[in-house]
Amino acid sequence: MQLLPTFQSSSHTLTRFALSCFDKNPNMTSGSNSLMWFRKGLRIHDNQALEYAAKDCNYVYPVFVIDPHYMKPDPAAFSPGSNLAGLTRIRFLLESLLDLDSSLRKLGSRLLVLHGEPSDVVIRCLKEWDIKRLCFEYDTDPYYQALDAKVKNYASESGIDVFTPVSHTLFNPAEIIEKNGGKPPLSYQSFLKLAGEPNWSISSLSTTLSVIPPIGDLGNCEVSEVPTVEELGYEDIQEVDPPLFKGGESEALRRLQESTNNKEWVAKFEKPKGDPSAFIKPATTMLSPYLKFGCLSSRYFYQRVKEVQKEVKNHTSPPVSLIGQLLWRDFFYTVGFGTPNFDHMRGNTICKQIPWNDDDELLAAWRDARTGFPWIDAIMVQLRKWGWIHHLARHSVACFLTRGDLFVHWEKGRDVFERLLIDSDWAINNGNWLWLSCSSFFYQYNRIYSPISFGKKYDPTGAYIRHFLPVLKDMPKEYIYEPWKAPLSIQTQAKCIIGIDYPKPVICHDDASKECKRKLAAAYELNKKMNGVMSDEDMKKLRRKLVEDQGKGTDSRRLKQKFK
Ligand code: FAD
């Protein structure tokens, strides 16, 4: 078992970047109380923070804090859940906590669940339990950065040692940024060059612990069991029966085993070749929810795939291989960590400034699967029901909402994904929305995913659409991607009248996509002229110019009216 931290502190000091695991004394006090603060990293295997918390200690307090910011029901939200998270993700998290609790019990401990603002709760526990060592996984998300600063401050003033290993990703984003002269690499290839082979890749990662020291006196801290969704104030509405993803490390490891058992499949894995319409047996691993919460270690995943690759003659390579997918994940973590305002257009130096519209009507039609384009609507139904969709399905709907058709701001689409995806991940979600909207990383805005022909290529009979949009189940295959073109007699026969049973398309794709390209061309030109630095006034001017030019082309309002 590997008990020493993999990432040691560096002498180089960067204000924003965490290169250091130890905030205080690396030779920590032994024989005292430690607190293991779980947030992500909901696992026993390859958990450096937990291993260190358990080393040479009298008592270990494994804590998870139910954060109202994340978990409190929000009746005003557009789907069941809290302000930030859909119920499907909340349920997945609670299942993951139950599984963690059960694993901890097998090791002689248990999970202590507390409720409240996490930094306040943790500071209270540190005082109440006389903690000398605090261990938690380093988190690059801005929300945790702020929380952690508060807790670390208190710990340092109180003489508590803090251990925060980087174990959510394959690499330490701060180290990659440092190697690149203080800036994140902005292309996948340059990221690969800087990253090289991870330094832990040849050592065997720990898969279990033999024992965890007991929990000490709980004093006045109010500790509960893992709550149910009902106890959190939700009605337990199951969107899918049975739910597609069961949260937790046990299930994650079972699924990883199942995927890697199929050696040929692993060796030949080649994205983006998979079929986005495959729903009975999806084309990829579907491990993203488990990576998101750290029920599965990305390092362990990486090693298992490497083992398979050693056993086969030929295998695919990054960027398309399975290892390549994990490296995409690290790439977005690194860029997200090193880019101020990564989750916004304004103030984000790597993001093109584009005069997106704020059309809430179009946004709601997209979000609620009412665009009238069956391929797009079926994907949005799958997203809401399953909390997961295939990568190319994500491409289709993100392109459609932004640069392809509706020209709605990518931040609005990002918010919808952030809420509905179980795997919703700050760095990866923002990174991919920047990519798909041609705001960063990818700039070929003339290459648009057709909401009609793209899906048809994979699924000519429309089985996927019929499954997720049963209202179209009897529509002949000639019209399944464009039902508004079906003669009324066929619509009647299919028991689906367009405009009554299923909406007319919200825009005309050919006109809308031409209009989007025109706007993007103008925005790109101005971004180039201004060297990417555009004021509010420049943006206003650009909007004005686009409206003035509108007589020569079409704008989204007119495109919409055509179909009303
Ligand atoms: P596999 O193909 O089996 O890949 C294995 C793992 O590699 C994934 O679980 C994931 O952790 C990582 N990975 C795969 N593709 C990517 C990618 N393009 N970028 C970064 N990491 C990747 N993924 C998320 O995990 N969370 C998100 O919030 C998220 N939002 C997205 C938003 C948009 C607009 C798009 C286009 C993609 C988004 N992705 C997101 C990336 C990708 O679609 C999912 O990671 C993938 O579909 C998950 O399925 P899987 O586990 O079967 O992937």
Side-chain angles (χ1 to χ4, degrees):
M1 186 189 304
Q2 177 195 331
L3 285 179
L4 283 170
T6 322
F7 304 109
Q8 294 290 341
S9 59
S10 153
S11 55
H12 196 94
T13 313
L14 292 171
T15 43
R16 275 197 77 236
F17 307 141
L19 286 171
S20 165
C21 293
F22 292 105
D23 270 22
K24 228 177 149 282
N25 172 16
N27 308 308
M28 290 188 172
T29 24
S30 65
S32 48
N33 300 350
S34 68
L35 190 153
M36 169 63 205
W37 181 14
F38 285 99
R39 304 101 65 85
K40 293 172 191 154
L42 303 178
R43 62 174 186 265
I44 305 293
H45 74 281
D46 188 32
N47 190 333
Q48 296 162 64
L50 178 63
E51 284 173 13
Y52 211 75
K55 191 174 178 250
D56 300 333
C57 258
N58 293 340
Y59 299 108
V60 176
Y61 295 79
V63 161
F64 185 88
V65 184
I66 300 273
D67 182 353
H69 172 74
Y70 194 84
M71 304 284 248
K72 194 172 143 213
D74 178 4
F78 72 81
S79 74
S82 71
N83 178 24
L84 296 175
L87 187 53
T88 315
R89 182 154 87 251
I90 292 178
R91 190 183 296 116
F92 185 94
L93 169 58
L94 296 180
E95 286 167 0
S96 302
L97 295 178
L98 273 178
D99 186 61
L100 179 64
D101 180 50
S102 146
S103 304
L104 288 169
R105 284 177 194 266
K106 285 179 198 147
L107 295 167
S109 183
R110 73 179 170 101
L111 189 64
L112 305 173
V113 178
L114 294 104
H115 299 247
E117 197 282 325
S119 55
D120 290 345
V121 172
V122 170
I123 290 172
R124 201 164 357 109
C125 294
L126 293 175
K127 287 181 196 161
E128 187 74 27
W129 300 336
D130 192 22
I131 299 295
K132 293 282 179 281
R133 183 190 300 176
L134 170 64
C135 303
F136 58 91
E137 182 176 65
Y138 189 82
D139 199 315
T140 50
D141 286 10
Y143 181 67
Y144 280 102
Q145 290 274 303
L147 276 186
D148 296 354
K150 217 170 128 187
V151 173
K152 282 176 171 181
N153 246 349
Y154 172 81
S156 109
E157 280 164 10
S158 314
I160 298 169
D161 290 319
V162 180
F163 179 61
T164 58
V166 177
S167 51
H168 191 61
T169 44
L170 304 176
F171 298 92
N172 182 343
E175 283 179 0
I176 304 272
I177 290 167
E178 194 195 31
K179 271 194 204 167
N180 199 38
K183 283 188 173 171
L186 293 180
S187 79
Y188 182 77
Q189 288 308 331
S190 54
F191 169 81
L192 291 190
K193 262 193 210 144
L194 288 161
E197 270 298 305
N199 56 13
W200 46 263
S201 62
I202 42 163
S203 42
S204 61
L205 300 172
S206 80
T207 50
T208 187
L209 287 166
S210 49
V211 73
I212 295 180
I215 291 162
D217 183 14
L218 291 175
N220 289 321
C221 288
E222 249 181 65
V223 165
S224 76
E225 302 285 315
V226 177
T228 60
V229 282
E230 289 88 350
E231 281 163 354
L232 288 178
Y234 297 101
E235 276 175 57
D236 192 7
I237 311 157
Q238 298 276 1
E239 294 271 18
V240 200
D241 188 26
L244 210 77
F245 295 94
K246 185 177 187 312
E249 177 184 19
S250 312
E251 180 65 12
L253 293 174
R254 191 195 65 73
R255 286 180 182 228
L256 176 68
Q257 182 71 42
E258 201 173 271
S259 290
T260 48
N261 275 350
N262 192 344
K263 295 189 176 130
E264 203 186 322
W265 183 79
V266 171
K268 288 188 175 157
F269 187 95
E270 195 173 344
K271 228 158 121 188
K273 277 201 179 153
D275 175 358
S277 68
F279 63 95
I280 294 171
K281 189 173 180 341
T284 53
T285 63
M286 295 177 88
L287 285 169
S288 50
Y290 302 93
L291 288 165
K292 184 244 150 61
F293 284 108
C295 302
L296 177 63
S297 146
S298 62
R299 304 170 1 137
Y300 186 61
F301 186 174
Y302 181 98
Q303 280 200 338
R304 295 301 302 271
V305 174
K306 280 276 176 186
E307 277 163 27
V308 172
Q309 290 185 342
K310 269 190 217 142
E311 289 172 30
V312 294
K313 257 198 188 151
N314 295 310
H315 60 78
T316 51
S317 305
V320 297
S321 61
L322 255 185
I323 293 284
Q325 304 315 301
L326 290 174
L327 291 164
W328 277 115
R329 179 175 181 267
D330 264 56
F331 168 68
F332 286 121
Y333 266 86
T334 307
V335 186
F337 186 51
T339 307
N341 300 312
F342 184 64
D343 54 351
H344 288 100
M345 179 178 82
R346 303 302 276 165
N348 178 351
T349 51
I350 67 163
C351 179
K352 295 256 186 238
Q353 303 300 301
I354 296 168
W356 302 110
N357 68 48
D358 273 332
D359 193 324
D360 285 340
E361 203 187 315
L362 287 178
L363 174 72
W366 174 82
R367 185 192 69 198
D368 301 339
R370 290 187 281 103
T371 67
F373 289 90
W375 171 245
I376 299 297
D377 292 342
I379 294 171
M380 294 308 286
V381 170
Q382 186 191 13
L383 171 62
R384 202 178 277 236
K385 288 196 164 180
W386 287 24
W388 183 91
I389 47 178
H390 184 273
H391 185 57
L392 290 179
R394 299 181 200 215
H395 273 230
S396 292
V397 295
C399 178
F400 183 83
L401 179 74
T402 57
R403 67 183 173 87
D405 291 87
L406 305 187
F407 214 68
V408 171
H409 205 308
W410 62 267
E411 289 173 17
K412 301 226 172 193
R414 179 274 319 274
D415 289 345
V416 172
F417 267 37
E418 191 171 295
R419 177 179 182 77
L420 294 178
L421 282 171
I422 304 180
D423 63 34
S424 164
D425 181 299
W426 185 83
I428 310 180
N429 197 28
N430 280 297
N432 276 283
W433 275 96
L434 283 163
W435 183 298
L436 260 298
S437 62
C438 275
S439 297
S440 197
F441 308 114
F442 175 80
Y443 303 107
Q444 295 176 39
Y445 59 78
N446 282 315
R447 286 177 56 185
I448 283 176
Y449 290 91
S450 161
I452 299 152
S453 58
F454 183 70
K456 206 187 273 183
K457 199 168 69 179
Y458 296 96
D459 178 19
T461 63
Y464 174 79
I465 293 172
R466 291 172 210 285
H467 181 82
F468 288 104
L469 292 175
V471 66
L472 287 168
K473 73 178 183 355
D474 295 323
M475 192 58 73
K477 71 175 188 329
E478 293 75 19
Y479 301 108
I480 190 79
Y481 285 87
E482 298 170 280
W484 62 93
K485 288 192 175 166
L488 191 57
S489 58
I490 302 264
Q491 295 183 22
T492 312
Q493 235 177 352
K495 294 185 257 356
C496 181
I497 307 295
I498 302 307
I500 297 174
D501 302 306
Y502 179 71
K504 289 181 184 170
V506 287
I507 41 92
C508 160
H509 168 63
D510 286 345
D511 292 347
S513 59
K514 271 189 209 127
E515 178 64 3
C516 285
K517 286 178 199 168
R518 183 180 74 84
K519 288 179 175 166
L520 278 159
Y524 268 43
E525 199 181 302
L526 190 63
N527 274 264
K528 196 171 166 195
K529 198 168 135 200
M530 310 298 290
N531 216 1
V533 186
M534 279 169 60
S535 64
D536 288 350
E537 193 46 44
D538 297 326
M539 197 64 124
K540 262 192 213 152
K541 272 193 208 152
L542 177 58
R543 284 185 196 280
R544 232 175 282 137
K545 181 182 174 321
L546 288 170
V547 172
E548 278 161 19
D549 289 352
Q550 130 192 345
K552 299 168 203 159
T554 36
D555 80 339
S556 75
R557 250 165 299 143
R558 284 176 52 215
L559 292 166
K560 264 202 281 179
Q561 277 159 14
K562 274 171 90 171
F563 284 89
K564 279 206 169 140

